[in-house]
Amino acid sequence: MIISIINNKGGVGKTTLSCNLAHALANKGKRVLVIDHDPQSNTSSVLSPQVRDPKTLHDLYADGIPVQQCIYPTLYDGVDVLPNEPATAALELELYQDVRTSYHLLRDSIRDHADKNYDIVLIDCPPTLGLWVVMSLVASDCAVIPIEAGSRYSIDGFVAAFDAINSISQRVNHGLKFLKAVVNKVDLRSGISRLSVDHIRKQFTDKVFDTTIPINSDIQKAEMDGETVIRYAPQSNGSKRFRALAEEIIGLL
């Protein structure tokens, strides 16, 4: 099962969700691969092991190196990573020269290997709806959209991402489904945050996971240390929520 994590808005927690959800799923016995499809490479900075000159998505796309040579174990049992690097951004213009082929490049590169070796693949996407996101959605079975509580722009990004999923599903990848949205950065002490969560649930009803992810100092500290919060503070509220979200996703799948 390949899942893209997307939103047409930055700062909504896609990378935090990708890393912590992967760790939580692995702790539930799932074999997980995380693909960092954002040239900013934030997910790679958290998950990639200390390997000299690792092969990345850039090598996969630019030189056709087999995907198996670009995947590395992480410090988290059951979690592997296909890292990225900033140089990949320069490939976008070249890939646009034959965009129909490029749309399927990620899918053709990873699908067979992923199906044979992993229960779940998470693709962390950039905060756009450009080529990298289209490639991810074409490669995926479903998509998850994080929404930042209290942010109107995050909701606008959700709507744009939801429309993109439907468009790709109708035109290119007929098997693609929208799974659900995750309401992130929730502060129930804040009136605007509570109102925002209520509004999102009323507006999108069954399209939202029951589990929300809170604003949590342990999550922020874990990010500063380059760790998942599940490793950094396993008994924290943030860790408990990511584990609950993993259970929800396993139940849906």
Side-chain angles (χ1 to χ4, degrees), residues 37 57 61 104-111 123 135-136 139:
H37 215 228
L57 269 171
Y61 291 154
H104 293 85
L105 184 56
L106 179 62
R107 182 184 182 93
D108 293 344
S109 299
I110 70 165
R111 188 82 223 193
I123 308 178
M135 292 169 68
S136 298

Side-chain angles (χ1 to χ4, degrees), residues 148-152 155 183-200 215:
E148 180 183 353
S151 170
R152 172 190 170 183
I155 295 175
V183 185
N184 194 21
K185 300 185 179 181
V186 176
D187 183 1
L188 293 181
R189 299 168 300 177
S190 163
I192 188 65
S193 188
R194 292 196 301 272
L195 287 173
S196 175
V197 173
D198 290 342
H199 172 74
I200 290 168
I215 289 178

Side-chain angles (χ1 to χ4, degrees), residues 190-216:
S190 163
I192 188 65
S193 188
R194 292 196 301 272
L195 287 173
S196 175
V197 173
D198 290 342
H199 172 74
I200 290 168
R201 291 203 182 281
K202 289 177 182 177
Q203 186 171 359
F204 303 115
T205 57
D206 60 345
K207 295 182 175 67
V208 183
F209 284 105
D210 292 335
T211 304
T212 61
I213 306 299
I215 289 178
N216 182 267

Side-chain angles (χ1 to χ4, degrees), residues 220-242:
Q220 296 169 330
K221 292 175 184 176
E223 286 184 357
M224 292 295 292
D225 276 10
E227 291 186 321
T228 67
V229 71
I230 296 170
R231 171 71 53 82
Y232 180 85
Q235 299 305 316
S236 67
N237 189 33
S239 295
K240 293 175 182 177
R241 294 295 185 88
F242 280 116

